[in-house]
Amino acid sequence: MRTALLQSSGRPGSVAGNLAVLDEAAGRAAASGAALLTTPEMFLTGYAIGDAVGRLAEGADGESADAVAEIAARHGVAIAYGYPERAGDAVHNSVQLISADGTRLANYRKTHLFGCFEREHFTPGERQLVQAELNGLTVGLLICYDVEFPENVRAHALAGTDLLLVPTAQMHPYQFVAESMIPVRAFENQMYVAYVNRVGVEGEFEFVGLSVLAGPDGVARTRAGRAEQLVCADADPAFLAASRAANPYLTDRRPGLYGSLV
C-alpha cells in the first residue's frame, strides 16, 4: 500500500487553512498512487497554539471530521490526521483515520503526554491499542511520545499491526528518535512504522522534520528532510510476511520472564 507522509506544520491556529493544505496534499498523494495520507500531530489546528487548543477542539464526529471525510472521498485516499478532540469536559490529543470513501475507521487518544504544555491542555487517553483494517493491512495508531515507550509498539506487534501510523511533533534536540529509534522499533517489532513530523519553528518549539517510513528490516523506505515535504513509499505485505518468517523476535519471546516489568 503506497503511503504518503505529509511533513508540514500547516497554518497554526487556522482550521480552514489546514484543511486547504490537507486538500492540496491529498490531491498530490492520490496522483502519486498513494492509498493513505498521514499528517503530523495536531495538524488540524497547529500544535503550539496555547489556550486555543480548548477553543478549537472538536468531537471525533464534528464539522472538521466531515470536511476531512469529504476530502478523502473526493481524492479517493484514506487520511489519518492529528487534531484536538473534545469529549465532554476533556480535550484529548488525538488522531483519526478516515477511509477513502469517507468512513471514520478509528480514533486514538494519546496516552503518554509529553511536557508541561501537553499536561496542561490535554487529558491522556486510556486505550493503548487502536487498529483498523485498510487495503488488506492492519493499521495501528500511536502519537509521538507514545512510540518512545517500547511496550506500546510491542502491544501492537502482538496484536498483529502491520503498519503503525505515528503523527508526531518531534522537536530539537530529540531528532535521534526519527533518525535511529523509529527504524529500530520497526525492526524489533516486525512492522512498518510511518513517523510523520511537523517542521520549522512554532511558538517555543523547533520541529525537526525527518519524517520516515521504516520497514521491518529497519531500513527507511523514504525520509523527508527539514523542510515542508510530501514523501511516499510502499508498505509491502509480501515483504512483511517474509521478514516475519525470517526474524524470530516475536516467536522467541519468553513472557514468563517479563512479569516484573509491569
Side-chain angles (χ1 to χ4, degrees):
M1 179 171 66
R2 177 141 294 218
T3 302
L5 286 58
L6 174 59
Q7 178 168 286
S8 172
S9 286
R11 307 291 181 264
S14 173
V15 172
N18 291 321
L19 287 170
V21 172
L22 180 63
D23 190 11
E24 189 273 339
R28 284 192 287 142
S32 75
L36 170 64
L37 171 66
T38 302
T39 80
E41 181 177 6
M42 290 284 286
F43 179 78
L44 188 63
T45 61
Y47 182 89
I49 57 174
D51 292 339
V53 167
R55 176 173 57 83
L56 295 177
E58 297 184 30
D61 58 353
E63 291 183 4
S64 292
D66 290 342
V68 175
E70 189 278 329
I71 291 170
R74 180 156 41 81
H75 293 289
V77 60
I79 296 175
Y81 69 101
Y83 74 109
E85 178 192 357
R86 169 71 64 184
D89 292 333
V91 175
H92 301 281
N93 184 336
S94 297
V95 55
Q96 182 152 229
L97 175 63
I98 293 179
S99 74
D101 66 4
T103 302
R104 294 191 298 116
L105 296 179
N107 190 73
Y108 170 78
R109 297 166 175 173
K110 189 174 186 178
T111 55
H112 295 71
L113 301 181
F114 178 80
C116 296
F117 172 77
E118 290 192 9
R119 295 188 185 107
E120 178 182 353
H121 290 95
F122 298 108
T123 297
E126 296 298 331
R127 185 179 174 192
Q128 179 191 43
L129 191 66
V130 173
Q131 298 169 305
E133 297 302 312
L134 185 67
N135 290 26
L137 293 177
T138 300
V139 176
L141 302 172
L142 291 177
I143 298 174
C144 198
Y145 195 38
D146 290 327
V147 80
E148 297 177 38
F149 292 81
E151 300 89 345
N152 286 332
V153 188
R154 182 51 53 88
H156 272 277
L158 296 177
T161 292
D162 300 314
L163 170 60
L164 184 63
L165 306 181
V166 189
T168 191
Q170 184 65 66
M171 56 200 70
H172 179 81
Y174 305 111
Q175 48 265 37
F176 71 90
V177 175
E179 293 172 336
S180 302
M181 184 183 291
I182 297 305
V184 170
R185 286 282 183 271
F187 179 73
E188 68 189 2
N189 291 288
Q190 286 300 289
M191 62 175 61
Y192 287 92
V193 180
Y195 187 78
V196 189
N197 200 9
R198 305 181 71 82
V199 67
V201 176
E202 189 178 333
E204 63 184 288
F205 306 111
E206 179 188 350
F207 300 113
V208 299
L210 303 176
S211 299
V212 60
L213 177 65
D217 53 359
V219 175
R221 297 300 189 271
T222 187
R223 184 183 291 280
R226 300 272 185 138
E228 297 218 347
Q229 196 172 356
L230 181 75
V231 296
C232 299
D234 293 328
D236 181 354
F239 183 87
L240 180 59
S243 182
R244 286 173 170 172
N247 187 309
Y249 275 151
L250 298 181
T251 55
D252 285 353
R253 291 173 65 252
R254 297 182 61 192
L257 299 178
Y258 312 148
S260 63
L261 295 178
V262 295

